Amino acid sequence: ASSRSAGDTPSSQRRQRATTVQIKREEEWFAAYVTWLGVPLVLCWMVLGVAMIVLSSQVPPSCQLGLFFLWAGSLNLVVGVFLACCCCAGRQFASLEGAQQLMQKYEDEERPRDSVRESFRADAAKGAMTCTGVCGVCGITVVMGLLAVAWGYGGVQVTKA
């Protein structure tokens, strides 16, 4: 029969049962999942941007829609870059989660040296995630506003034609 101490909770028992390998596998899976979801999205915005820039060169100089396609295409490329930043932030979040789980596991197992190592890894992932996440989200917000202006400009040019 197993005795439970007052500090044992179901989550701490689950952490003790989880092996380090399992936690690291989950971290790697989460990071891969973010990549497999993010890369196609980034590529879509990039391909759309390139297509619009190519279209801008096909519009006759007398028509102002060429400028719209150039602006919108360029802004789509920039959105792709900021989405890539968000993907990097998601991968850092996976690293942060894994480090925090391992840190707690090592604390439960009374392995302070390993816990401190994972604490440093968690701090590094938190800093990288914050930096890339804030850059990505703020950048996308600004660029989406500029895209709205570009589409408004394109709409005005279409009504003039």
Side-chain angles (χ1 to χ4, degrees), residues 88-156:
C88 290
R91 289 184 63 83
Q92 291 300 322
F93 180 72
S95 181
L96 173 65
E97 276 295 307
Q100 287 179 334
Q101 287 179 11
L102 285 172
M103 181 179 67
Q104 187 62 50
K105 178 184 184 300
Y106 294 148
E107 284 176 5
D108 292 346
E109 294 172 353
E110 297 179 5
R111 294 168 54 187
R113 190 175 301 168
D114 292 330
S115 179
V116 168
R117 183 186 69 230
E118 291 302 324
S119 174
F120 285 132
R121 190 169 75 97
D123 288 343
K126 191 182 306 178
M129 180 188 73
T130 302
C131 181
T132 55
V134 168
C135 289
V137 170
C138 291
I140 287 174
T141 303
V142 170
V143 174
M144 286 300 191
L146 293 173
L147 264 172
V149 170
W151 278 100
Y153 173 80
V156 169

Side-chain angles (χ1 to χ4, degrees), residues 34-117:
V34 168
T35 301
W36 284 108
L37 287 177
V39 168
L41 185 61
V42 168
L43 289 175
C44 286
W45 279 91
M46 295 286 196
V47 167
L48 180 61
V50 169
M52 292 182 89
I53 290 171
V54 169
L55 278 174
S56 74
S57 67
Q58 305 300 316
V59 176
S62 60
C63 180
Q64 293 297 316
L65 278 178
L67 184 60
F68 159 73
F69 282 115
L70 182 63
W71 284 0
S74 299
L75 290 172
N76 282 336
L77 290 174
V78 174
V79 168
V81 169
F82 286 127
L83 282 173
C85 287
C86 290
C87 288
C88 290
R91 289 184 63 83
Q92 291 300 322
F93 180 72
S95 181
L96 173 65
E97 276 295 307
Q100 287 179 334
Q101 287 179 11
L102 285 172
M103 181 179 67
Q104 187 62 50
K105 178 184 184 300
Y106 294 148
E107 284 176 5
D108 292 346
E109 294 172 353
E110 297 179 5
R111 294 168 54 187
R113 190 175 301 168
D114 292 330
S115 179
V116 168
R117 183 186 69 230

Side-chain angles (χ1 to χ4, degrees), residues 16-38:
Q16 288 173 353
R17 282 191 297 250
T19 67
T20 302
V21 172
Q22 288 172 323
I23 293 172
K24 287 184 177 185
R25 271 195 198 134
E26 287 175 6
E27 176 185 335
E28 290 169 1
W29 180 87
F30 185 33
Y33 186 72
V34 168
T35 301
W36 284 108
L37 287 177

